Amino acid sequence: MGVFEGKVAVVTGAARGIGQAIAGKLAQEGADVVICDLQAEWLAETAGIVEGLGRKALPLAVDVGDGDAVNACIAEVVKVFGKVDIMVNNAGITKDTLLVRMSDEDWDAVLRVNLKGTFLFSRAVAKHMMKQRSGAIVNIASISGIIGTAGQANYAASKAGVIALTKSTANELAARGVRANAIAPGFISSKMTDALSEDVRNQYLSRIPLGRFGTVEDIANAVVFLASEQSSYLTGQTLNVNGGMVM
Ligand code: NAD
């Protein structure tokens, strides 16, 4: 029996990368998983993984920055499953450039998905979790939100915002038995990071004490911990999963 037997989890940005690995790991541990991404047809692969593990998958097209769509998504989850136990806010984008070259549009787009999206889903599930008097919210932040990476003013600000949002959420919901924590991944091999040049990748590698890039499974394992009773005395925390890049 997995640690999430009988639980219902929602994962955003679940079509690929870290989100797909999280959905798979939660299903492996027994959860039924609502998988959200911009387009439902992108979710077929993830749905196959979840169903292949003998769990229910509910693929939903949701733009995490659209409040009405987010509320409709959680209403659908509650209609289908009757509850929501685990919320993983993973959807995220980058639009990297130096501060002096950053357009208003690039700033707004990244804050909208990464920070507002996390707020909208947290607000939508909080109502149900508070009523249930149980639940776990796990927000995917980033090492950038801690160290303020050059070329990522918008992204770093959004992820620092996610860390602060996590703390406020944790403070507000603790008395109702709902926990909220964040994960700050370091350099994780994925489509997002494959786009970086060889030079930049080698620079990062030289700064990682454990001598390797992280895997999507490294992050999914941390999500399992923070979403499960194994972390029942943790709330408002940010877990750094970065190979020791920042201590
Ligand atoms: P990815 O680009 O491979 O996947 C992100 C997913 O989010 C995609 O499927 C995309 O379609 C979806 N998405 C984008 N905008 C959306 C929106 N408006 N609504 C719904 N879905 C949307 O990225 P990844 O590397 O798997 O990253 C996942 C999370 O981890 C992100 O929040 C990212 O910031 C964070 N992170 C990644 C790394 C890394 O090294 N890869 C490091 C630190 C943090």
Side-chain angles (χ1 to χ4, degrees), residues 149-196:
T149 318
Q152 292 197 311
N154 49 2
Y155 183 77
S158 75
K159 295 299 191 176
V162 165
I163 290 169
L165 168 63
T166 305
K167 294 178 188 177
S168 288
T169 307
N171 263 314
E172 289 188 26
L173 305 188
R176 303 291 191 97
V178 180
R179 299 181 301 110
N181 290 288
I183 293 170
F187 195 114
I188 307 303
S189 296
S190 69
K191 289 215 173 78
M192 191 184 257
T193 50
D194 286 350
L196 298 172

Side-chain angles (χ1 to χ4, degrees), residues 12-19 36-38 42 62-65 90-93 112-114 140-143 155 159 185-193:
T12 66
R16 65 181 202 187
I18 294 171
C36 307
D37 214 293
L38 281 171
W42 297 349
V62 191
D63 173 358
V64 299
N90 164 80
I93 60 168
R112 179 181 176 276
V113 175
N114 299 6
I140 307 301
S142 169
I143 192 171
Y155 183 77
K159 295 299 191 176
F187 195 114
I188 307 303
S189 296
S190 69
K191 289 215 173 78
M192 191 184 257
T193 50

Side-chain angles (χ1 to χ4, degrees), residues 96-117:
D96 296 355
T97 190
L98 295 174
L99 178 70
V100 293
R101 294 198 193 129
M102 192 170 286
S103 67
D104 295 21
E105 290 74 22
D106 284 353
W107 174 270
D108 288 344
V110 170
L111 269 288
R112 179 181 176 276
V113 175
N114 299 6
L115 184 53
K116 189 180 178 194

Side-chain angles (χ1 to χ4, degrees), residues 7-231:
K7 303 277 184 195
V8 176
V10 179
V11 182
T12 66
R16 65 181 202 187
I18 294 171
Q20 183 176 71
I22 292 169
K25 197 66 95 172
L26 295 174
Q28 197 180 318
E29 288 293 338
D32 292 327
V33 192
V34 181
I35 45 179
C36 307
D37 214 293
L38 281 171
Q39 294 195 32
E41 59 268 27
W42 297 349
L43 288 159
E45 193 177 292
T46 310
I49 293 169
V50 170
E51 285 162 356
L53 290 158
R55 306 297 158 190
K56 286 186 197 126
L58 177 61
L60 294 176
V62 191
D63 173 358
V64 299
D66 176 343
D68 290 341
V70 170
N71 289 339
C73 167
I74 294 305
E76 176 73 6
V77 173
V78 172
K79 196 173 118 198
V80 173
F81 293 105
K83 61 173 186 166
V84 51
D85 301 300
I86 298 161
M87 177 72 230
V88 185
N89 285 301
N90 164 80
I93 60 168
T94 53
K95 289 193 181 290
D96 296 355
T97 190
L98 295 174
L99 178 70
V100 293
R101 294 198 193 129
M102 192 170 286
S103 67
D104 295 21
E105 290 74 22
D106 284 353
W107 174 270
D108 288 344
V110 170
L111 269 288
R112 179 181 176 276
V113 175
N114 299 6
L115 184 53
K116 189 180 178 194
T118 302
F119 154 66
L120 291 173
F121 262 106
S122 298
R123 184 178 65 183
V125 296
K127 293 171 188 161
H128 300 284
M129 289 179 170
M130 286 165 84
K131 241 187 264 166
Q132 289 166 198
R133 300 192 89 79
S134 71
I137 298 172
V138 182
N139 296 327
I140 307 301
S142 169
I143 192 171
S144 295
I146 293 168
I147 65 172
T149 318
Q152 292 197 311
N154 49 2
Y155 183 77
S158 75
K159 295 299 191 176
V162 165
I163 290 169
L165 168 63
T166 305
K167 294 178 188 177
S168 288
T169 307
N171 263 314
E172 289 188 26
L173 305 188
R176 303 291 191 97
V178 180
R179 299 181 301 110
N181 290 288
I183 293 170
F187 195 114
I188 307 303
S189 296
S190 69
K191 289 215 173 78
M192 191 184 257
T193 50
D194 286 350
L196 298 172
S197 73
E198 192 67 27
D199 235 25
V200 174
R201 291 167 63 82
N202 285 336
Q203 272 175 37
Y204 277 118
L205 200 51
S206 69
R207 288 165 46 204
I208 303 172
L210 284 180
R212 66 168 176 90
F213 296 133
T215 65
V216 292
E217 286 77 23
D218 289 325
I219 304 307
N221 286 332
V223 171
V224 168
F225 173 62
L226 289 177
S228 77
E229 283 305 301
Q230 290 166 10
S231 62

